[in-house]
């Protein structure tokens, strides 16, 4: 059981997102707008 926690091969992997993923998230955040009306809020994606 101790060998499972002392193995550091899995911890050294670097996970970097693809450029496509970053572009998708940035475009999504640019298109998203939140409008508050009274006690409610509406999320609108302008695409």
């Amino acid at each position: 059981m101790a060998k499972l926690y002392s193995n550091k091969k899995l911890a050294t992997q670097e996970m970097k997102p693809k450029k496509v993923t970053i572009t998708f998230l940035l475009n999504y955040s640019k298109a998203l707008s939140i409008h508050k009306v009274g006690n409610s809020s509406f999320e609108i994606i302008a695409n």
Side-chain angles (χ1 to χ4, degrees):
M1 190 73 173
K3 287 185 179 181
L4 292 177
Y5 296 108
S6 64
N7 190 357
K8 294 189 178 184
K9 289 182 181 177
L10 295 176
T12 58
Q13 290 180 344
E14 291 187 29
M15 298 177 67
K16 295 183 180 179
K18 294 180 182 179
K19 191 172 183 177
V20 176
T21 306
I22 294 172
T23 304
F24 172 78
L25 291 173
L26 288 174
N27 288 337
Y28 182 82
S29 66
K30 289 177 187 176
L32 179 67
S33 62
I34 300 173
H35 297 281
K36 292 184 180 180
V37 178
N39 293 334
S40 303
S41 62
F42 297 97
E43 297 176 0
I44 300 170
I45 300 175
N47 276 344

